Amino acid sequence: MAKTIAEINEKIKKGQAVVVTAEEIIDIAKKKGISQAANEVDVVTTGTFGPMCSSGAYFNVGHTKPRIKLGGGKVYLNDVPAYTGVAAVDVFLGATALPDDDPKNRIYPGEFRYGGGHVIEELVAGKDVRLVATAYGTDCYPRRKLETLISIKDMNEAVLFNMRNAYQNYNVAVNLSDRIIYTYMGVLKPKLGNANYSTSGQLSPLFNDPYYKTIGIGTKIFLGGGIGYVAWQGTQHNPSVLRGDNGVPRRGAGTLAVIGDLKQMKPEWLVGTSFLGYGCTLTVGIGVPIPVLSEEILRYTLVTDAEIFAPVVDYAEAYPQRKPDILTEISYAELKSGTIKVQGQEVPTASLSSYPGAVEIAGILKEWIKKGEFLLTEPVAPLPGVESGIVFKPLEERPIP
Amino acid sequence: MATVSKRLVLHFPKRLTNEPIVYKLVKDFDLEFNILKASVTPGEEGLLVMELAGEQRSYDKGVKYLTETGVKIQSLSQDVVWNESRCTHCGACITLCPTGAFSVEPKTRKVTFDNNKCVVCELCVKACPPRAMELYF
Ligand code: SF4
Ligand code: SF4
């Protein structure tokens, strides 16, 4: 029996909706069968909690007296530069931004202890940050300098805006070279010393809706411990990759751009993160509800770690040189077992995204919906799917005449 | 006679940083040492991480001497501390730690840290993404 989002919302309001996590639904469907499970269950919740570099926040800090035009000037939040190429008192802070005096990788491997992601975490935690700005001065905005403490409460708007999050599948990173390498996939030991992956597998949002049939623009989600929305497809959204029979991409595919009011988020779900020898970022918690509109949708949510495959890529040579080679494909069940076999060698695995975090997020979202605090939204437009014909383009350089 | 070999963190108060303490350990107590890490600035507090080895009796005497002169001794395992509230249980430390001090609970996939196994190589301290591993002196 097909359901609509409006019908599910009616049940949520009455406290009658049946909500389970993407882990729980697997056993429920095994016991009850797909059609009964599809009838009984209204919403399946998903979650992911991992480093997501395309994250940032924009702020309206309010007008000073006399006024200052931050737009076009320079702004630092706790010494981390924010982008000012917008209106007078709006700034954008990216998760990977670093203080000007950070040694970066000059002292290799750099530690990157503090950057934009850490500032965002501190702001969300309610701490004061130092806002230091210089401007060029105009007749209407005469002030040239500003140094002040500011907290998120003092700001008019503090909005998390992440242009590429919740990747649908990702590489498993290994290192075939004979030296240690420092990457955004963590520290990789030489000669296949370890393998790092980063998704929550069977709990991950886009694995449970592989063709974006319910998740679209406007979908209300758990974002950073508060409420957010899918704003658009994420950058590098690439639906047309190799997929398994279950529709699940075998390569990095769809992504989500997400947005939400930073003021109601929580520091435990937006964690400033450092990658040795690589840089800073933000670890972001995202949970997406999937309305069980039909048996088909339910079937997608039954995907297990054993049925999701990720490509193993050499980050010493193939990845940096943009070679298409993959070493093998490995299921998430194998990855989670702690060791995988690559080129005949046993390789210990580790994750960068937190599975316990994903479980917790899917659980929190489930509780919100069950208590009637979180209603589902109808997407206002779909995300581009396989039919969109989107082709993921690398940058082919052209000489400047 | 049994011999021992232990890894210790020695904290020297200001007044002792100019004293030939390690020399005495060798000369008077016949102990062998291997310095793993040192930061001794004259006139300030000093820190020495070392492996101390020798016969049990001499070892005990040496340690007694250290304590009596005012050196604070800490066993090495207390040096790296897991700040559980910052740990996201990602698991990135698991394959990095050379001594297997971290393990994953298979069902919940939560990470635990056994500081008895830690040899303070500091790899996890720098590589833990949210920097949940803290180095304490
Ligand atoms: S790398 Fe750090 S955050 Fe991740 S599990 Fe280990 S201690 Fe926890
Ligand atoms: S400091 Fe080294 S030995 Fe100690 S827990 Fe970290 S990685 Fe393991």
Side-chain angles (χ1 to χ4, degrees):
Chain A
M1 184 195 74
K3 283 176 245 175
T4 64
I5 288 177
E7 284 162 4
I8 295 175
N9 276 341
E10 281 314 307
K11 283 174 133 184
I12 295 174
K13 282 184 207 156
K14 290 187 199 139
Q16 292 167 353
V18 179
V19 190
V20 301
T21 70
E23 241 180 5
E24 292 163 343
I25 191 68
I26 297 167
D27 284 338
I28 293 171
K30 253 186 223 152
K31 273 189 212 126
K32 302 199 165 179
I34 288 177
S35 98
Q36 201 186 337
N39 271 333
E40 288 180 11
V41 176
D42 300 305
V43 187
V44 172
T45 59
T46 63
T48 184
F49 185 42
M52 305 190 193
C53 291
S54 290
S55 301
Y58 58 86
F59 309 105
N60 178 284
V61 298
H63 287 276
T64 55
K65 186 181 173 183
R67 294 179 197 263
I68 186 166
K69 182 178 181 298
L70 302 177
K74 282 197 156 62
V75 167
Y76 294 88
L77 293 163
N78 279 357
D79 299 329
V80 179
Y83 180 71
T84 60
V86 277
V89 289
D90 293 328
V91 297
F92 183 87
L93 178 68
T96 67
L98 292 168
D100 292 342
D101 60 0
D102 189 292
K104 307 199 171 78
N105 256 344
R106 283 195 301 278
I107 301 169
Y108 179 82
E111 289 202 35
F112 304 99
R113 295 193 71 91
Y114 196 85
H118 297 87
V119 178
I120 292 172
E121 180 188 334
E122 288 195 26
L123 279 169
V124 179
K127 292 188 189 158
D128 279 337
V129 302
R130 293 184 314 277
L131 167 66
V132 175
T134 49
Y136 51 81
T138 73
D139 292 339
C140 45
Y141 291 90
R143 191 159 174 180
R144 289 164 189 261
K145 261 190 143 170
L146 172 65
E147 286 190 28
T148 178
L149 289 177
I150 191 165
S151 79
I152 200 167
K153 283 206 201 93
D154 305 327
M155 297 175 177
N156 292 309
E157 277 88 22
V159 181
L160 187 76
F161 178 59
N162 302 346
M163 53 189 107
R164 175 166 82 248
N165 280 184
Y167 238 111
Q168 187 179 26
N169 215 349
Y170 213 79
N171 294 338
V172 179
V174 296
N175 173 11
L176 292 181
S177 78
D178 49 17
R179 67 173 185 102
I180 196 162
I181 61 170
Y182 302 92
T183 75
Y184 69 83
M185 292 298 287
V187 179
L188 298 173
K189 299 201 273 189
K191 295 186 180 146
L192 291 169
N194 58 344
N196 284 355
Y197 63 98
S198 187
T199 97
S200 57
Q202 61 192 18
L203 260 181
S204 183
L206 293 177
F207 279 147
N208 284 280
D209 184 7
Y211 290 113
Y212 331 117
K213 295 206 173 194
T214 71
I215 304 172
I217 296 165
T219 297
K220 187 169 155 187
I221 61 172
F222 171 109
L223 178 60
I227 285 170
Y229 295 87
V230 174
W232 201 251
Q233 70 267 29
T235 54
Q236 292 186 187
H237 180 78
N238 187 20
S240 317
V241 299
L242 181 69
R243 288 173 187 255
D245 294 339
N246 51 4
V248 171
R250 300 171 85 97
R251 303 286 180 273
T255 63
L256 302 177
V258 297
I259 192 165
D261 178 7
L262 193 66
K263 292 189 180 191
Q264 39 95 50
M265 296 186 194
K266 299 203 167 64
E268 54 275 37
W269 299 114
L270 289 173
V271 181
T273 301
S274 308
F275 279 100
L276 187 61
Y278 179 74
C280 275
T281 184
L282 186 69
T283 293
V284 182
I286 291 182
V288 180
I290 297 178
V292 182
L293 302 175
S294 63
E295 269 186 41
E296 183 200 359
I297 303 293
L298 181 97
R299 220 179 283 271
Y300 291 129
T301 67
L302 302 181
V303 72
T304 64
D305 288 331
E307 301 156 328
I308 309 171
F309 290 85
V312 180
V313 175
D314 172 32
Y315 271 62
E317 173 71 18
Y319 184 84
Q321 298 307 329
R322 214 186 78 199
K323 293 181 178 165
D325 326 1
I326 67 158
L327 298 165
T328 178
E329 281 185 342
I330 301 275
S331 77
Y332 280 96
E334 287 170 87
L335 285 164
K336 283 188 185 165
S337 77
T339 45
I340 56 170
K341 211 163 204 166
V342 183
Q343 297 188 335
Q345 195 176 320
E346 296 273 340
V347 185
T349 59
S351 166
L352 296 173
S353 98
S354 164
Y355 200 74
V359 172
E360 210 180 321
I361 289 168
I364 295 171
L365 185 54
K366 171 177 144 176
E367 286 313 308
W368 286 354
I369 300 171
K370 278 173 79 174
K371 281 195 210 138
E373 291 166 2
F374 186 108
L375 293 177
L376 308 187
T377 55
E378 196 90 53
V380 291
L383 299 174
V386 178
E387 74 300 328
S388 68
I390 286 181
V391 179
F392 183 53
K393 293 188 292 290
L395 176 63
E396 296 304 353
E397 294 159 62
R398 285 181 288 133
I400 299 169
Chain B
M1 187 73 212
T3 59
V4 285
S5 166
K6 283 194 185 159
R7 294 177 160 210
L8 301 172
V9 184
L10 308 182
H11 297 260
F12 295 82
K14 229 180 189 167
R15 65 182 166 82
L16 286 179
T17 46
N18 285 322
E19 298 285 329
I21 287 179
V22 177
Y23 171 78
K24 280 206 160 190
L25 287 174
V26 180
K27 188 93 170 77
D28 296 356
F29 303 101
D30 199 27
L31 295 171
E32 271 178 36
F33 70 95
N34 178 19
I35 294 179
L36 303 170
K37 203 159 53 193
S39 75
V40 184
T41 347
E44 284 174 34
E45 289 219 335
L47 168 105
L48 203 59
V49 184
M50 67 171 175
E51 199 158 18
L52 201 59
E55 282 191 6
Q56 181 74 58
R57 208 162 358 131
S58 326
Y59 179 86
D60 291 344
K61 277 191 198 157
V63 167
K64 192 159 166 260
Y65 156 75
L66 287 174
T67 326
E68 277 169 5
T69 35
V71 178
K72 230 179 81 215
I73 304 178
Q74 199 187 339
S75 91
L76 192 51
S77 57
Q78 289 161 346
D79 219 5
V80 165
V81 172
W82 181 41
N83 180 350
E84 197 177 344
S85 68
R86 255 203 102 66
C87 174
T88 60
H89 300 273
C90 65
C93 49
I94 306 273
T95 56
L96 286 183
C97 174
T99 63
F102 298 93
S103 46
V104 189
E105 213 274 297
K107 221 175 136 88
T108 62
R109 303 206 66 78
K110 287 211 166 163
V111 171
T112 51
F113 171 58
D114 176 0
N115 70 356
N116 288 321
K117 291 189 181 160
C118 174
V119 295
V120 200
C121 73
E122 289 183 36
L123 200 52
C124 66
V125 176
K126 290 184 178 152
C128 163
R131 297 289 195 263
M133 301 309 295
E134 293 166 1
L135 197 58
Y136 279 97
F137 298 118

